[in-house]
Amino acid sequence: MADLAVVATEIAAALGELNVALIRRIVARIGADAALAFLAEALATEAAGGRLTSDAARQRTPGGVFFYLVRGRLAPCDRWKLWPQDRPRPKQPTEPFRWEDRLAHLPALLAEPGVAMTAKLTLIGRPGRVIRAGECVITTLQSSGKLLTLPKGVPAPPAQPMTYVVYIAAKQWRKVEAALANTDDALIIEGVPVYDERLLGLAMLAQSVTTKRQQMA
């Protein structure tokens, strides 16, 4: 170990580096030959004009270049021994955001609402009773309230059936009416969702209507 201590002192002197203790730990960790190779590269870098700090705010000192080279080339297990602050910290578990937690955030959110440029809803399923009212066809689709798998972090609301009242232009309906006689087919509606305060639910104003089989064809 005495030889390593001498090598560390020589490296510190060649670099003009005051942090001799860190250089000693480096030499003890990687050996004299590897440390001297890093010294030669650091001096060559200095002779070629040096190296800037990561933020390009200033020139690294010769010792800083040496430490930069060692720190960047070592295996993680060795680097973490010399620079413990580089060791990744385990992620602290976070409490999942629950559906009922939304109420605490709503006042602040509603105080500064964003602007929706457009909104579109897609419904896929089998229509219920169909009523013709002039040039409009009205039907309903009801969801079970069960949601598909949501992305991690998105709170799942309690399952609750939702009835959508759909308004379709008679001209569009005629294009899908015959196809829906096949009970294996499904209606696909894209349109604008509108909250119906009288029904306390969503109305949908259809913009395009097709069926799964028509879409595949």
Side-chain angles (χ1 to χ4, degrees):
M1 292 298 295
D3 292 340
L4 295 180
V6 171
V7 170
T9 301
E10 291 176 350
I11 292 175
L15 296 169
E17 178 56 50
L18 299 179
N19 194 351
V20 183
L22 178 55
I23 295 179
R24 286 174 181 166
R25 292 199 298 273
I26 291 172
V27 173
R29 189 76 190 174
I30 67 176
D33 291 342
L36 290 171
F38 279 119
L39 170 63
E41 186 174 352
L43 295 177
T45 300
E46 277 296 295
R51 182 185 290 272
L52 295 175
T53 54
S54 298
D55 59 5
R58 58 182 178 80
Q59 195 83 359
R60 294 181 189 271
T61 64
V65 174
F66 175 79
F67 294 139
Y68 174 84
L69 294 172
V70 175
R71 197 172 187 171
R73 305 271 182 81
L74 289 185
C77 57
D78 291 322
R79 187 175 76 251
W80 296 339
K81 288 288 186 181
L82 297 167
W83 287 277
Q85 65 271 30
D86 287 1
R87 182 185 294 273
R89 295 182 180 180
K91 292 184 177 180
Q92 295 297 324
T94 56
E95 288 292 327
F97 180 69
R98 300 168 301 173
W99 180 250
E100 54 268 28
D101 295 338
R102 75 195 190 284
L103 299 177
H105 302 285
L106 286 179
L109 293 171
L110 296 176
E112 299 182 35
V115 178
M117 305 302 293
T118 184
K120 181 175 284 190
L121 181 66
T122 300
L123 292 178
I124 302 175
R126 293 286 302 178
R129 174 174 294 187
V130 174
I131 294 178
R132 292 169 173 81
E135 289 301 311
C136 184
V137 169
I138 310 171
T139 187
T140 60
L141 279 79
Q142 186 177 71
S143 70
S144 64
K146 294 180 180 179
L147 300 175
L148 299 176
T149 302
L150 296 171
K152 184 178 180 180
V154 176
Q160 183 175 355
M162 170 73 78
T163 299
Y164 301 90
V165 181
V166 184
Y167 301 84
I168 305 170
K171 181 179 180 180
Q172 290 183 316
W173 177 255
R174 285 193 289 270
K175 296 178 181 178
V176 298
E177 186 174 11
L180 290 172
N182 184 339
T183 57
D184 292 332
D185 207 349
L187 185 62
I188 301 175
I189 314 162
E190 289 188 350
V192 179
V194 178
Y195 179 70
D196 189 333
E197 59 183 14
R198 295 294 297 273
L199 299 178
L200 299 179
L202 279 181
M204 183 176 178
L205 310 180
Q207 294 175 307
S208 66
V209 180
T210 186
T211 74
K212 280 192 172 183
R213 289 181 179 273
Q214 286 178 340
Q215 196 174 67
M216 290 173 63

